[in-house]
Amino acid sequence: MSKKRMRQHYGKIKLFRGSASPELSNKIADHLELELEGHELIQFPNENLFVKLDKSVRGQDCYMIQTTSSPVHDNLMELLISLQTLRLDSAARVTAVVPYLCYARSDKKDQPRVPITARLVADMISAEADRYMTFDLHAGQIQGFFSIPGDVLSTFSILIEHLKPMLPDMHEPVVVTADLGFAKKARNFAEKLETPLALIEKRRTGNDATATAMGLIGDINGHDVILVDDEIDTGGSIAEAVHLGKEFGAREIYVIFVHAVLSGDAAKRLAALPVKKFICTDTIPMSEEDQAVFGDRLTILTIADLLAEVILRANEGRSVGALFDE
Protein backbone atom coordinates (compact mmCIF):
# COMPACT_ATOMS: atom_id res chain seq x y z
CA MET A 1 0.00 0.00 0.00
CA SER A 2 1.41 3.41 -0.97
CA LYS A 3 2.01 6.20 1.55
CA LYS A 4 -0.63 8.28 -0.26
CA ARG A 5 -3.26 5.59 0.19
CA MET A 6 -2.32 5.15 3.86
CA ARG A 7 -2.76 8.88 4.45
CA GLN A 8 -6.15 8.75 2.81
CA HIS A 9 -7.14 5.78 4.96
CA TYR A 10 -6.42 7.60 8.22
CA GLY A 11 -7.17 11.10 6.96
CA LYS A 12 -5.20 14.25 7.70
CA ILE A 13 -3.44 14.88 11.00
CA LYS A 14 -5.59 16.91 13.36
CA LEU A 15 -3.83 18.14 16.50
CA PHE A 16 -5.76 19.11 19.62
CA ARG A 17 -4.22 20.90 22.59
CA GLY A 18 -5.28 20.00 26.10
CA SER A 19 -5.17 22.72 28.75
CA ALA A 20 -2.32 20.95 30.58
CA SER A 21 0.08 20.91 27.61
CA PRO A 22 -0.18 24.25 25.78
CA GLU A 23 3.51 25.01 25.11
CA LEU A 24 4.39 21.44 24.14
CA SER A 25 1.40 21.28 21.79
CA ASN A 26 2.44 24.54 20.13
CA LYS A 27 5.97 23.22 19.56
CA ILE A 28 4.64 19.99 18.03
CA ALA A 29 2.34 21.92 15.73
CA ASP A 30 5.21 24.22 14.67
CA HIS A 31 7.44 21.24 13.90
CA LEU A 32 4.72 19.63 11.75
CA GLU A 33 3.82 23.00 10.22
CA LEU A 34 0.18 22.48 11.21
CA GLU A 35 -2.40 24.61 12.98
CA LEU A 36 -3.85 23.35 16.23
CA GLU A 37 -7.55 22.56 15.91
CA GLY A 38 -9.97 24.64 17.92
CA HIS A 39 -12.34 23.33 20.55
CA GLU A 40 -14.34 24.79 23.39
CA LEU A 41 -13.70 23.72 26.98
CA ILE A 42 -16.06 24.91 29.69
CA GLN A 43 -16.14 24.06 33.37
CA PHE A 44 -19.61 24.49 34.83
CA PRO A 45 -20.21 25.76 38.40
CA ASN A 46 -20.66 22.13 39.50
CA GLU A 47 -17.11 21.40 38.18
CA ASN A 48 -18.40 19.27 35.29
CA LEU A 49 -16.48 19.72 32.04
CA PHE A 50 -17.96 20.34 28.60
CA VAL A 51 -16.08 19.98 25.32
CA LYS A 52 -17.23 21.01 21.83
CA LEU A 53 -15.20 20.84 18.63
CA ASP A 54 -15.08 23.92 16.39
CA LYS A 55 -15.09 21.78 13.22
CA SER A 56 -15.98 18.24 12.22
CA VAL A 57 -13.21 15.63 12.36
CA ARG A 58 -15.12 12.92 10.50
CA GLY A 59 -12.66 10.58 8.79
CA GLN A 60 -9.57 12.37 10.19
CA ASP A 61 -6.51 11.17 12.15
CA CYS A 62 -6.85 12.97 15.49
CA TYR A 63 -4.24 13.43 18.23
CA MET A 64 -5.25 14.78 21.65
CA ILE A 65 -2.16 16.09 23.49
CA GLN A 66 -2.72 16.19 27.23
CA THR A 67 -0.38 15.40 30.08
CA THR A 68 -1.95 14.19 33.32
CA SER A 69 0.05 16.06 35.92
CA SER A 70 -1.42 18.33 38.61
CA PRO A 71 -4.35 18.94 38.84
CA VAL A 72 -4.40 15.24 38.02
CA HIS A 73 -8.11 14.52 38.06
CA ASP A 74 -9.11 17.65 36.15
CA ASN A 75 -6.53 16.89 33.47
CA LEU A 76 -7.42 13.19 33.30
CA MET A 77 -11.15 13.89 32.93
CA GLU A 78 -10.47 16.55 30.29
CA LEU A 79 -8.43 13.99 28.36
CA LEU A 80 -11.13 11.31 28.57
CA ILE A 81 -13.98 13.65 27.63
CA SER A 82 -11.98 15.07 24.72
CA LEU A 83 -11.18 11.59 23.43
CA GLN A 84 -14.83 10.61 23.54
CA THR A 85 -15.82 13.83 21.77
CA LEU A 86 -13.45 13.01 18.91
CA ARG A 87 -14.63 9.42 18.71
CA LEU A 88 -18.33 10.36 18.68
CA ASP A 89 -17.66 12.84 15.87
CA SER A 90 -16.55 9.85 13.76
CA ALA A 91 -12.81 10.50 13.63
CA ALA A 92 -11.09 7.78 11.59
CA ARG A 93 -8.58 7.28 14.41
CA VAL A 94 -8.16 8.84 17.84
CA THR A 95 -4.76 8.84 19.56
CA ALA A 96 -4.26 9.87 23.18
CA VAL A 97 -0.88 11.64 23.43
CA VAL A 98 -0.09 11.56 27.15
CA PRO A 99 3.52 12.65 27.79
CA TYR A 100 3.18 11.87 31.51
CA LEU A 101 0.77 9.16 32.64
CA CYS A 102 -0.69 9.67 36.10
CA TYR A 103 -0.95 6.80 38.64
CA ALA A 104 1.90 4.97 36.90
CA ARG A 105 3.44 4.08 40.27
CA SER A 106 0.26 2.22 41.30
CA ASP A 107 1.11 -0.66 38.99
CA LYS A 108 0.76 -3.73 41.24
CA LYS A 109 -0.85 -5.14 44.37
CA ASP A 110 2.09 -4.98 46.76
CA GLN A 111 -0.10 -5.34 49.85
CA PRO A 112 -3.62 -6.62 50.64
CA ARG A 113 -6.77 -4.61 49.85
CA VAL A 114 -5.25 -2.07 47.47
CA PRO A 115 -6.12 -1.20 43.84
CA ILE A 116 -4.00 -1.31 40.68
CA THR A 117 -4.89 2.22 39.63
CA ALA A 118 -2.55 2.31 36.64
CA ARG A 119 -4.68 -0.47 35.13
CA LEU A 120 -7.85 1.55 35.77
CA VAL A 121 -6.40 4.62 34.01
CA ALA A 122 -5.27 2.45 31.08
CA ASP A 123 -8.77 0.92 30.83
CA MET A 124 -10.41 4.35 30.71
CA ILE A 125 -8.09 5.62 28.00
CA SER A 126 -8.48 2.37 26.05
CA ALA A 127 -12.27 2.76 26.13
CA GLU A 128 -12.15 6.08 24.23
CA ALA A 129 -8.97 6.02 22.11
CA ASP A 130 -7.74 3.81 19.28
CA ARG A 131 -4.08 4.31 20.15
CA TYR A 132 -1.93 5.98 22.81
CA MET A 133 1.50 7.56 23.06
CA THR A 134 3.40 8.19 26.27
CA PHE A 135 6.93 8.59 27.64
CA ASP A 136 9.06 6.64 30.11
CA LEU A 137 6.52 4.63 32.06
CA HIS A 138 7.52 3.87 35.63
CA ALA A 139 7.26 0.14 34.92
CA GLY A 140 7.23 -1.73 31.63
CA GLN A 141 4.28 -3.94 32.55
CA ILE A 142 1.93 -0.94 32.37
CA GLN A 143 2.00 -1.38 28.58
CA GLY A 144 0.09 -4.62 29.13
CA PHE A 145 -2.69 -2.77 30.95
CA PHE A 146 -3.83 -1.11 27.72
CA SER A 147 -6.18 -3.02 25.41
CA ILE A 148 -5.21 -0.77 22.48
CA PRO A 149 -1.88 -0.52 20.64
CA GLY A 150 0.46 2.31 21.51
CA ASP A 151 3.94 3.77 21.43
CA VAL A 152 5.79 3.92 24.74
CA LEU A 153 8.57 6.33 23.90
CA SER A 154 11.78 7.17 25.73
CA THR A 155 13.59 10.43 26.36
CA PHE A 156 16.78 8.35 26.56
CA SER A 157 18.21 9.63 23.25
CA ILE A 158 17.39 13.26 24.06
CA LEU A 159 19.11 13.13 27.45
CA ILE A 160 22.14 11.20 26.13
CA GLU A 161 22.62 13.64 23.26
CA HIS A 162 22.62 16.55 25.71
CA LEU A 163 24.95 14.87 28.22
CA LYS A 164 27.66 13.57 25.91
CA PRO A 165 29.21 17.01 25.18
CA MET A 166 29.30 17.65 28.94
CA LEU A 167 31.37 14.55 29.76
CA PRO A 168 34.83 15.99 28.94
CA ASP A 169 34.30 18.66 31.61
CA MET A 170 33.36 16.07 34.25
CA HIS A 171 35.85 14.26 36.48
CA GLU A 172 35.59 10.48 36.00
CA PRO A 173 31.78 10.55 35.90
CA VAL A 174 29.66 7.72 37.34
CA VAL A 175 25.97 7.16 36.62
CA VAL A 176 24.01 6.59 39.83
CA THR A 177 20.36 5.59 40.20
CA ALA A 178 18.36 6.46 43.29
CA ASP A 179 15.95 3.56 42.73
CA LEU A 180 16.80 -0.11 42.16
CA GLY A 181 13.66 -0.34 40.03
CA PHE A 182 15.36 2.04 37.60
CA ALA A 183 18.59 0.01 37.58
CA LYS A 184 18.15 -1.56 34.12
CA LYS A 185 17.51 1.80 32.46
CA ALA A 186 20.39 3.35 34.43
CA ARG A 187 22.69 0.56 33.22
CA ASN A 188 21.75 1.32 29.61
CA PHE A 189 22.32 4.99 30.35
CA ALA A 190 25.80 4.25 31.71
CA GLU A 191 26.64 2.04 28.70
CA LYS A 192 25.77 4.80 26.23
CA LEU A 193 27.83 7.33 28.18
CA GLU A 194 30.61 4.75 28.67
CA THR A 195 30.74 5.34 32.42
CA PRO A 196 30.61 3.06 35.49
CA LEU A 197 27.30 2.49 37.30
CA ALA A 198 26.49 2.72 41.02
CA LEU A 199 23.17 2.02 42.76
CA ILE A 200 21.49 3.52 45.80
CA GLU A 201 19.38 1.05 47.74
CA LYS A 202 16.29 2.53 49.33
CA ARG A 203 13.31 1.13 51.13
CA ARG A 204 9.80 2.59 51.18
CA THR A 205 8.47 2.46 54.73
CA GLY A 206 4.82 3.46 54.29
CA ASN A 207 2.04 4.31 51.86
CA ASP A 208 2.98 7.98 51.59
CA ALA A 209 5.47 9.54 49.18
CA THR A 210 8.47 9.11 51.48
CA ALA A 211 11.25 6.54 51.22
CA THR A 212 14.44 5.93 53.16
CA ALA A 213 17.79 5.61 51.39
CA MET A 214 19.74 2.68 52.81
CA GLY A 215 23.16 2.50 51.19
CA LEU A 216 25.33 2.68 48.09
CA ILE A 217 26.41 -0.17 45.82
CA GLY A 218 29.50 0.93 43.87
CA ASP A 219 32.29 3.49 44.13
CA ILE A 220 31.77 7.24 43.67
CA ASN A 221 34.54 8.57 45.91
CA GLY A 222 36.28 11.40 44.05
CA HIS A 223 33.98 11.06 41.03
CA ASP A 224 31.42 13.38 39.49
CA VAL A 225 27.97 11.80 39.77
CA ILE A 226 25.18 11.72 37.17
CA LEU A 227 22.13 10.92 39.31
CA VAL A 228 19.27 9.62 37.15
CA ASP A 229 15.59 8.85 37.81
CA ASP A 230 12.36 8.69 35.84
CA GLU A 231 10.46 11.29 37.87
CA ILE A 232 10.82 13.57 40.87
CA ASP A 233 7.71 14.12 42.97
CA THR A 234 8.35 15.57 46.43
CA GLY A 235 12.11 15.44 45.98
CA GLY A 236 12.65 13.42 49.15
CA SER A 237 14.35 10.43 47.54
CA ILE A 238 16.62 12.57 45.40
CA ALA A 239 17.53 14.74 48.39
CA GLU A 240 18.57 11.66 50.35
CA ALA A 241 20.48 10.34 47.35
CA VAL A 242 22.38 13.62 46.97
CA HIS A 243 23.29 13.72 50.66
CA LEU A 244 24.31 10.07 50.57
CA GLY A 245 26.42 10.74 47.49
CA LYS A 246 28.25 13.54 49.28
CA GLU A 247 28.81 11.27 52.29
CA PHE A 248 30.45 8.73 49.99
CA GLY A 249 32.78 11.33 48.49
CA ALA A 250 31.04 12.49 45.32
CA ARG A 251 32.48 15.66 43.79
CA GLU A 252 29.96 17.47 41.58
CA ILE A 253 26.44 16.02 41.27
CA TYR A 254 24.21 16.33 38.19
CA VAL A 255 20.55 15.38 38.63
CA ILE A 256 18.87 14.03 35.47
CA PHE A 257 15.17 13.14 35.39
CA VAL A 258 12.33 12.85 32.88
CA HIS A 259 9.10 13.92 34.58
CA ALA A 260 9.19 17.09 36.71
CA VAL A 261 6.18 16.35 38.94
CA LEU A 262 7.56 18.62 41.70
CA SER A 263 4.69 18.45 44.19
CA GLY A 264 4.39 21.07 46.92
CA ASP A 265 7.69 22.79 47.71
CA ALA A 266 9.79 20.19 45.87
CA ALA A 267 11.46 22.83 43.68
CA LYS A 268 12.73 24.73 46.73
CA ARG A 269 13.90 21.49 48.34
CA LEU A 270 15.84 20.51 45.24
CA ALA A 271 17.29 23.97 44.66
CA ALA A 272 18.74 23.93 48.18
CA LEU A 273 20.76 20.78 47.42
CA PRO A 274 24.48 20.86 46.54
CA VAL A 275 23.76 20.01 42.88
CA LYS A 276 25.66 21.57 39.99
CA LYS A 277 23.03 21.03 37.31
CA PHE A 278 19.41 19.85 36.99
CA ILE A 279 18.31 18.48 33.61
CA CYS A 280 14.76 17.36 32.83
CA THR A 281 12.24 17.28 29.98
CA ASP A 282 8.98 19.10 29.28
CA THR A 283 6.66 16.08 29.57
CA ILE A 284 5.19 18.15 32.42
CA PRO A 285 5.15 21.95 32.15
CA MET A 286 7.15 23.65 34.90
CA SER A 287 5.84 26.92 36.31
CA GLU A 288 7.87 30.09 35.91
CA GLU A 289 8.09 30.31 39.71
CA ASP A 290 9.69 26.87 39.97
CA GLN A 291 12.05 27.61 37.08
CA ALA A 292 13.12 30.81 38.82
CA VAL A 293 13.93 28.87 41.99
CA PHE A 294 16.47 26.72 40.08
CA GLY A 295 17.90 29.67 38.17
CA ASP A 296 20.59 28.89 35.59
CA ARG A 297 21.24 25.45 37.08
CA LEU A 298 18.12 24.14 35.31
CA THR A 299 17.95 22.89 31.72
CA ILE A 300 14.62 21.72 30.26
CA LEU A 301 14.90 19.60 27.12
CA THR A 302 11.89 19.40 24.84
CA ILE A 303 10.30 16.18 23.59
CA ALA A 304 8.33 18.11 20.95
CA ASP A 305 10.48 17.31 17.90
CA LEU A 306 10.62 13.61 18.72
CA LEU A 307 6.90 13.43 19.44
CA ALA A 308 6.08 15.32 16.24
CA GLU A 309 8.13 12.84 14.21
CA VAL A 310 6.36 9.90 15.88
CA ILE A 311 2.96 11.43 15.09
CA LEU A 312 3.98 11.92 11.47
CA ARG A 313 5.23 8.33 11.17
CA ALA A 314 2.06 6.99 12.80
CA ASN A 315 -0.06 8.90 10.31
CA GLU A 316 1.97 7.66 7.35
CA GLY A 317 2.14 4.07 8.60
CA ARG A 318 5.93 4.09 8.95
CA SER A 319 8.06 2.42 11.62
CA VAL A 320 8.53 4.30 14.88
CA GLY A 321 11.17 1.85 16.10
CA ALA A 322 13.42 2.91 13.20
CA LEU A 323 13.83 6.26 14.96
CA PHE A 324 15.63 4.43 17.76
CA ASP A 325 17.41 1.87 15.53
CA GLU A 326 15.02 -0.85 16.70
Side-chain angles (χ1 to χ4, degrees), residues 112-159:
R113 301 177 297 279
V114 297
I116 305 177
T117 318
R119 171 62 188 268
L120 174 62
V121 171
D123 282 344
M124 291 191 292
I125 293 174
S126 298
E128 301 302 339
D130 299 300
R131 292 185 59 85
Y132 71 96
M133 294 178 182
T134 192
F135 276 86
D136 291 291
L137 290 173
H138 180 62
Q141 67 262 27
I142 296 174
Q143 299 175 61
F145 295 167
F146 288 87
S147 58
I148 55 175
D151 296 298
V152 179
L153 307 170
S154 175
T155 58
F156 188 84
S157 59
I158 298 172
L159 294 169

Side-chain angles (χ1 to χ4, degrees), residues 155-184:
T155 58
F156 188 84
S157 59
I158 298 172
L159 294 169
I160 291 294
E161 184 178 345
H162 182 80
L163 279 169
K164 277 188 173 180
M166 299 170 58
L167 293 179
D169 295 326
M170 296 184 188
H171 181 73
E172 299 181 352
V174 177
V175 169
V176 177
T177 176
D179 187 341
L180 289 179
F182 197 68
K184 184 177 180 180

Side-chain angles (χ1 to χ4, degrees), residues 1-247:
M1 183 181 291
S2 69
K3 291 182 180 179
K4 183 177 180 181
R5 288 186 63 191
M6 284 189 287
R7 288 195 189 99
Q8 290 174 339
H9 176 68
Y10 290 124
K12 296 180 180 179
I13 295 175
K14 298 292 183 181
L15 297 177
F16 289 84
R17 177 179 60 195
S19 61
S21 305
E23 293 184 10
L24 178 61
S25 300
N26 291 338
K27 291 177 182 177
I28 292 171
D30 289 343
H31 185 91
L32 292 173
E33 298 181 350
L34 294 173
E35 295 290 332
L36 288 163
E37 301 298 319
H39 68 289
E40 187 177 13
L41 174 67
I42 296 174
Q43 185 175 68
F44 294 118
N46 63 359
E47 298 184 9
N48 289 0
L49 296 177
F50 173 79
V51 173
K52 183 179 179 181
L53 307 178
D54 289 353
K55 297 178 182 178
S56 172
V57 295
R58 183 179 294 272
Q60 304 304 303
D61 193 14
C62 298
Y63 297 82
M64 181 65 200
I65 306 165
Q66 173 78 333
T67 203
T68 51
S69 55
S70 179
V72 171
H73 303 114
D74 288 350
N75 289 335
L76 178 60
M77 281 305 300
E78 180 187 338
L79 170 65
L80 296 172
I81 294 170
S82 298
L83 293 174
Q84 188 191 66
T85 304
L86 295 168
R87 182 172 62 83
L88 292 179
D89 197 47
S90 301
R93 185 170 64 173
V94 178
T95 301
V97 182
V98 191
Y100 169 74
L101 185 69
C102 62
Y103 287 104
R105 290 185 176 270
S106 300
D107 60 345
K108 58 187 176 296
K109 282 180 67 71
D110 54 0
Q111 55 184 301
R113 301 177 297 279
V114 297
I116 305 177
T117 318
R119 171 62 188 268
L120 174 62
V121 171
D123 282 344
M124 291 191 292
I125 293 174
S126 298
E128 301 302 339
D130 299 300
R131 292 185 59 85
Y132 71 96
M133 294 178 182
T134 192
F135 276 86
D136 291 291
L137 290 173
H138 180 62
Q141 67 262 27
I142 296 174
Q143 299 175 61
F145 295 167
F146 288 87
S147 58
I148 55 175
D151 296 298
V152 179
L153 307 170
S154 175
T155 58
F156 188 84
S157 59
I158 298 172
L159 294 169
I160 291 294
E161 184 178 345
H162 182 80
L163 279 169
K164 277 188 173 180
M166 299 170 58
L167 293 179
D169 295 326
M170 296 184 188
H171 181 73
E172 299 181 352
V174 177
V175 169
V176 177
T177 176
D179 187 341
L180 289 179
F182 197 68
K184 184 177 180 180
K185 293 181 180 179
R187 182 189 64 197
N188 295 336
F189 212 84
E191 286 179 354
K192 285 292 184 181
L193 294 177
E194 299 180 346
T195 68
L197 173 67
L199 308 172
I200 290 177
E201 179 194 12
K202 70 177 183 180
R203 183 175 302 166
R204 197 165 296 279
T205 57
N207 290 324
D208 56 12
T210 62
T212 301
M214 303 295 291
L216 180 74
I217 304 170
D219 178 26
I220 61 172
N221 186 30
H223 296 266
D224 283 349
V225 163
I226 302 171
L227 184 60
V228 296
D229 208 346
D230 57 342
E231 71 176 66
I232 296 183
D233 186 0
T234 64
S237 295
I238 288 294
E240 289 194 7
V242 169
H243 293 314
L244 191 68
K246 285 297 186 181
E247 288 178 17

